[in-house]
Amino acid sequence: MLARRAAIVAALFCGTTAAAQEMKSGSLPEQGASALERYVAEMWSGADADWKQRLQQDETQAQCSRFRNNPPDDIAEAIRKREAATIALPEDGNVLGRWQDGEKIAQNGRGGQFSDAPDTVRGGNCYACHEMAKSEASFGTLGPSLAEYGKLRGFSAEAAKETFAKIYNSQATLPCSSMPRFGVHGFLTAQQIKDVTAYLFDRESPVNK
Ligand code: HEC
Protein backbone atom coordinates (compact mmCIF):
# COMPACT_ATOMS: atom_id res chain seq x y z
CA MET A 1 0.00 0.00 0.00
CA LEU A 2 2.75 2.44 1.00
CA ALA A 3 4.93 1.47 -1.94
CA ARG A 4 1.97 1.89 -4.25
CA ARG A 5 1.23 5.31 -2.83
CA ALA A 6 4.86 6.33 -3.29
CA ALA A 7 4.69 5.11 -6.90
CA ILE A 8 1.63 7.25 -7.54
CA VAL A 9 3.27 10.32 -6.02
CA ALA A 10 6.44 9.68 -8.03
CA ALA A 11 4.37 9.22 -11.18
CA LEU A 12 2.53 12.46 -10.60
CA PHE A 13 5.66 14.45 -10.02
CA CYS A 14 7.82 12.79 -12.66
CA GLY A 15 5.09 12.75 -15.27
CA THR A 16 5.10 9.07 -16.22
CA THR A 17 1.36 8.37 -16.07
CA ALA A 18 -1.55 9.52 -18.14
CA ALA A 19 -2.85 11.41 -15.13
CA ALA A 20 0.39 13.30 -14.79
CA GLN A 21 0.49 14.00 -18.52
CA GLU A 22 -3.02 15.35 -18.23
CA MET A 23 -1.95 17.66 -15.41
CA LYS A 24 0.97 18.94 -17.45
CA SER A 25 -0.91 19.31 -20.70
CA GLY A 26 -2.67 22.49 -19.71
CA SER A 27 -6.37 23.35 -19.82
CA LEU A 28 -6.44 23.41 -16.02
CA PRO A 29 -8.24 23.43 -13.71
CA GLU A 30 -10.72 20.73 -14.89
CA GLN A 31 -8.19 18.17 -16.06
CA GLY A 32 -5.82 18.87 -13.19
CA ALA A 33 -8.57 18.59 -10.64
CA SER A 34 -9.72 15.25 -12.02
CA ALA A 35 -6.17 13.86 -11.95
CA LEU A 36 -5.88 15.03 -8.38
CA GLU A 37 -9.25 13.52 -7.51
CA ARG A 38 -8.17 10.18 -8.97
CA TYR A 39 -4.93 10.35 -7.02
CA VAL A 40 -6.72 11.11 -3.77
CA ALA A 41 -9.31 8.37 -4.36
CA GLU A 42 -6.52 5.86 -5.01
CA MET A 43 -4.52 7.00 -2.01
CA TRP A 44 -7.52 6.71 0.31
CA SER A 45 -8.99 3.51 -1.15
CA GLY A 46 -7.77 1.37 1.75
CA ALA A 47 -8.76 3.85 4.45
CA ASP A 48 -11.61 3.11 6.84
CA ALA A 49 -14.80 5.18 7.05
CA ASP A 50 -13.40 7.41 9.79
CA TRP A 51 -10.53 8.53 7.61
CA LYS A 52 -12.71 8.92 4.53
CA GLN A 53 -14.97 11.20 6.53
CA ARG A 54 -12.05 13.61 6.79
CA LEU A 55 -12.19 14.20 3.04
CA GLN A 56 -15.63 15.77 3.38
CA GLN A 57 -15.32 19.50 3.94
CA ASP A 58 -17.76 21.04 6.38
CA GLU A 59 -19.62 24.18 5.31
CA THR A 60 -16.98 26.53 6.72
CA GLN A 61 -14.11 24.71 5.03
CA ALA A 62 -16.00 24.69 1.73
CA GLN A 63 -16.63 28.44 1.95
CA CYS A 64 -13.01 29.15 2.85
CA SER A 65 -11.84 27.04 -0.12
CA ARG A 66 -14.28 28.76 -2.43
CA PHE A 67 -13.08 32.25 -1.47
CA ARG A 68 -9.44 31.23 -1.02
CA ASN A 69 -9.57 32.13 2.67
CA ASN A 70 -10.71 35.65 1.89
CA PRO A 71 -14.52 35.51 2.14
CA PRO A 72 -16.71 38.56 1.55
CA ASP A 73 -18.06 40.25 4.69
CA ASP A 74 -21.45 38.51 4.82
CA ILE A 75 -19.95 35.03 4.46
CA ALA A 76 -17.22 35.89 6.99
CA GLU A 77 -19.90 36.92 9.46
CA ALA A 78 -21.84 33.69 8.86
CA ILE A 79 -18.66 31.66 9.47
CA ARG A 80 -17.88 33.59 12.65
CA LYS A 81 -21.38 32.96 13.99
CA ARG A 82 -21.45 29.27 13.04
CA GLU A 83 -18.02 28.62 14.54
CA ALA A 84 -18.71 30.59 17.74
CA ALA A 85 -21.73 28.34 18.33
CA THR A 86 -19.44 25.29 18.57
CA ILE A 87 -17.44 26.60 21.54
CA ALA A 88 -18.16 24.95 24.87
CA LEU A 89 -16.55 26.81 27.76
CA PRO A 90 -15.95 24.68 30.89
CA GLU A 91 -19.13 24.63 33.00
CA ASP A 92 -17.38 25.69 36.18
CA GLY A 93 -15.86 28.69 34.39
CA ASN A 94 -12.29 27.57 35.10
CA VAL A 95 -10.29 27.66 31.87
CA LEU A 96 -6.88 27.05 33.45
CA GLY A 97 -5.43 23.55 33.77
CA ARG A 98 -1.83 22.54 34.48
CA TRP A 99 0.81 24.48 32.55
CA GLN A 100 3.28 21.58 32.85
CA ASP A 101 0.87 19.37 30.88
CA GLY A 102 0.15 22.25 28.51
CA GLU A 103 3.84 22.57 27.70
CA LYS A 104 3.96 18.92 26.60
CA ILE A 105 0.85 19.39 24.46
CA ALA A 106 2.32 22.51 22.84
CA GLN A 107 5.54 20.67 22.01
CA ASN A 108 3.88 17.50 20.72
CA GLY A 109 3.05 17.19 17.03
CA ARG A 110 2.07 13.53 17.06
CA GLY A 111 -1.33 11.86 17.18
CA GLY A 112 -4.11 11.76 14.59
CA GLN A 113 -1.82 10.94 11.66
CA PHE A 114 -1.89 7.93 9.33
CA SER A 115 1.35 6.71 10.82
CA ASP A 116 0.18 6.97 14.45
CA ALA A 117 -1.40 4.12 16.40
CA PRO A 118 -5.06 5.11 16.99
CA ASP A 119 -4.55 5.39 20.76
CA THR A 120 -1.65 7.89 20.40
CA VAL A 121 -2.24 10.91 22.67
CA ARG A 122 -2.65 13.93 20.43
CA GLY A 123 -0.62 17.09 20.72
CA GLY A 124 -1.43 20.63 19.63
CA ASN A 125 1.86 21.18 17.76
CA CYS A 126 1.64 24.86 18.76
CA TYR A 127 5.41 25.36 18.38
CA ALA A 128 5.16 24.47 14.70
CA CYS A 129 3.51 27.88 14.20
CA HIS A 130 4.20 29.98 17.31
CA GLU A 131 7.03 31.19 19.48
CA MET A 132 5.89 30.55 23.08
CA ALA A 133 8.54 30.17 25.82
CA LYS A 134 11.60 32.21 24.89
CA SER A 135 13.76 29.38 26.24
CA GLU A 136 12.54 27.05 23.47
CA ALA A 137 15.18 26.74 20.73
CA SER A 138 13.02 26.36 17.66
CA PHE A 139 9.55 27.35 16.54
CA GLY A 140 7.57 28.20 13.42
CA THR A 141 6.46 31.70 12.49
CA LEU A 142 3.20 31.17 10.61
CA GLY A 143 1.38 32.47 13.69
CA PRO A 144 2.32 35.45 15.90
CA SER A 145 4.72 35.10 18.84
CA LEU A 146 2.90 34.12 22.04
CA ALA A 147 5.89 34.88 24.30
CA GLU A 148 4.78 36.49 27.60
CA TYR A 149 1.19 36.05 26.45
CA GLY A 150 -0.45 36.07 29.90
CA LYS A 151 1.94 38.65 31.33
CA LEU A 152 1.21 41.12 28.50
CA ARG A 153 -2.50 40.72 29.29
CA GLY A 154 -2.09 41.31 33.02
CA PHE A 155 -2.99 37.63 33.66
CA SER A 156 -6.61 38.71 33.19
CA ALA A 157 -9.28 36.05 33.71
CA GLU A 158 -11.30 37.49 30.83
CA ALA A 159 -8.33 37.25 28.44
CA ALA A 160 -7.73 33.66 29.56
CA LYS A 161 -11.35 32.82 28.69
CA GLU A 162 -10.99 34.41 25.25
CA THR A 163 -7.81 32.42 24.72
CA PHE A 164 -9.50 29.14 25.65
CA ALA A 165 -12.17 30.01 23.05
CA LYS A 166 -9.51 30.96 20.47
CA ILE A 167 -7.78 27.60 20.84
CA TYR A 168 -11.13 25.77 20.84
CA ASN A 169 -12.15 27.40 17.57
CA SER A 170 -9.82 29.92 15.93
CA GLN A 171 -12.39 30.77 13.25
CA ALA A 172 -14.87 32.22 15.72
CA THR A 173 -12.61 35.28 15.83
CA LEU A 174 -10.88 35.03 12.44
CA PRO A 175 -12.89 33.30 9.70
CA CYS A 176 -10.66 31.06 7.54
CA SER A 177 -7.75 31.31 9.97
CA SER A 178 -4.99 28.83 9.20
CA MET A 179 -4.89 27.85 12.87
CA PRO A 180 -6.61 24.46 13.43
CA ARG A 181 -9.96 24.42 15.29
CA PHE A 182 -8.70 22.21 18.10
CA GLY A 183 -11.92 21.72 20.05
CA VAL A 184 -14.44 21.35 17.26
CA HIS A 185 -14.01 17.67 16.43
CA GLY A 186 -12.47 16.89 19.80
CA PHE A 187 -8.96 16.84 18.34
CA LEU A 188 -7.83 18.16 21.71
CA THR A 189 -9.97 17.47 24.78
CA ALA A 190 -11.36 20.32 26.90
CA GLN A 191 -8.80 19.39 29.57
CA GLN A 192 -5.94 19.64 27.06
CA ILE A 193 -7.19 23.06 25.93
CA LYS A 194 -7.29 24.14 29.58
CA ASP A 195 -3.73 22.91 30.01
CA VAL A 196 -2.37 24.90 27.03
CA THR A 197 -4.35 27.95 28.18
CA ALA A 198 -2.56 27.60 31.54
CA TYR A 199 0.74 27.29 29.68
CA LEU A 200 0.01 30.75 28.22
CA PHE A 201 -1.49 32.29 31.38
CA ASP A 202 0.14 30.77 34.47
CA ARG A 203 2.59 33.14 36.19
CA GLU A 204 4.98 30.23 36.71
CA SER A 205 4.89 29.07 33.08
CA PRO A 206 8.14 29.53 31.08
CA VAL A 207 5.99 31.43 28.54
CA ASN A 208 5.76 34.32 31.03
CA LYS A 209 9.41 34.27 32.17
C1 HEC B 1 -0.87 25.68 11.56
C2 HEC B 1 -0.40 26.78 12.36
C3 HEC B 1 -0.90 26.96 13.76
C4 HEC B 1 -0.92 26.05 14.79
C5 HEC B 1 -0.52 24.57 14.76
C6 HEC B 1 -1.38 26.77 15.94
N1 HEC B 1 -1.66 28.06 15.63
FE1 HEC B 1 -2.28 29.52 16.88
N2 HEC B 1 -2.41 30.85 15.34
C7 HEC B 1 -2.00 30.58 14.05
C8 HEC B 1 -2.20 31.78 13.24
C9 HEC B 1 -1.88 31.91 11.76
C10 HEC B 1 -2.74 32.76 14.09
C11 HEC B 1 -3.14 34.21 13.70
C12 HEC B 1 -4.48 34.20 13.02
C13 HEC B 1 -5.62 34.00 13.98
O1 HEC B 1 -5.75 34.81 14.94
O2 HEC B 1 -6.39 33.06 13.82
C14 HEC B 1 -2.86 32.15 15.41
C15 HEC B 1 -3.34 32.80 16.53
C16 HEC B 1 -3.28 32.27 17.82
C17 HEC B 1 -3.65 33.00 19.02
C18 HEC B 1 -4.14 34.44 19.08
C19 HEC B 1 -2.93 35.33 19.09
C20 HEC B 1 -3.30 36.80 19.27
O3 HEC B 1 -3.27 37.52 18.28
O4 HEC B 1 -3.62 37.20 20.39
C21 HEC B 1 -3.44 32.14 20.08
C22 HEC B 1 -3.65 32.44 21.55
C23 HEC B 1 -2.96 30.90 19.54
N3 HEC B 1 -2.87 31.02 18.16
C24 HEC B 1 -2.64 29.77 20.30
C25 HEC B 1 -2.28 28.54 19.77
C26 HEC B 1 -2.09 27.34 20.56
C27 HEC B 1 -2.17 27.27 22.08
C28 HEC B 1 -1.79 26.32 19.69
C29 HEC B 1 -1.59 24.87 20.00
C30 HEC B 1 -2.65 24.20 20.73
C31 HEC B 1 -1.79 26.90 18.35
N4 HEC B 1 -2.10 28.23 18.44
C32 HEC B 1 -1.52 26.19 17.20
C33 HEC B 1 -1.49 29.41 13.57
C34 HEC B 1 -1.37 28.22 14.30
Side-chain angles (χ1 to χ4, degrees), residues 102 105-106 123-130 132 141-146 149 153 162-164 166-167 170-171 173-180 182 188 192-193 196-197 199-201:
I105 293 161
N125 209 15
C126 318
Y127 274 101
C129 294
H130 293 287
M132 300 176 93
T141 53
L142 183 65
S145 170
L146 305 178
Y149 200 75
R153 286 157 182 77
E162 284 165 14
T163 302
F164 178 97
K166 177 71 189 176
I167 301 166
S170 58
Q171 298 205 38
T173 47
L174 187 75
C176 306
S177 168
S178 44
M179 174 161 152
F182 289 104
L188 293 183
Q192 285 181 306
I193 297 175
V196 275
T197 305
Y199 184 51
L200 292 174
F201 273 87

Side-chain angles (χ1 to χ4, degrees), residues 45-184:
S45 60
D48 62 24
D50 246 23
W51 277 98
K52 282 187 177 152
Q53 180 66 32
R54 297 197 191 190
L55 287 177
Q56 304 303 322
Q57 290 192 314
D58 66 22
E59 201 178 348
T60 293
Q61 289 169 325
Q63 287 174 329
C64 291
S65 293
R66 179 162 166 230
F67 295 104
R68 297 189 177 252
N69 294 338
N70 191 16
D73 288 352
D74 56 333
I75 305 263
E77 195 43 43
I79 292 175
R80 202 176 284 122
K81 246 196 190 152
R82 181 188 310 128
E83 298 303 317
T86 68
I87 297 174
L89 289 174
E91 271 172 27
D92 64 1
N94 177 19
V95 295
L96 300 177
R98 271 171 49 86
W99 71 259
Q100 294 91 338
D101 292 335
E103 178 171 50
K104 289 185 199 136
I105 293 161
Q107 292 169 340
N108 177 14
R110 299 310 309 229
Q113 301 180 33
F114 251 129
S115 47
D116 289 320
D119 57 353
T120 307
V121 174
R122 293 173 185 154
N125 209 15
C126 318
Y127 274 101
C129 294
H130 293 287
E131 176 180 30
M132 300 176 93
K134 284 193 181 150
S135 49
E136 197 68 46
S138 81
F139 50 85
T141 53
L142 183 65
S145 170
L146 305 178
E148 303 189 340
Y149 200 75
K151 193 173 172 184
L152 291 172
R153 286 157 182 77
F155 300 105
S156 127
E158 201 42 47
K161 239 178 230 169
E162 284 165 14
T163 302
F164 178 97
K166 177 71 189 176
I167 301 166
Y168 198 104
N169 191 335
S170 58
Q171 298 205 38
T173 47
L174 187 75
C176 306
S177 168
S178 44
M179 174 161 152
R181 300 169 293 172
F182 289 104
V184 177

Side-chain angles (χ1 to χ4, degrees), residues 22-33:
E22 191 177 298
M23 280 187 93
K24 278 167 56 180
S25 69
S27 65
L28 295 169
E30 284 81 10
Q31 292 192 357

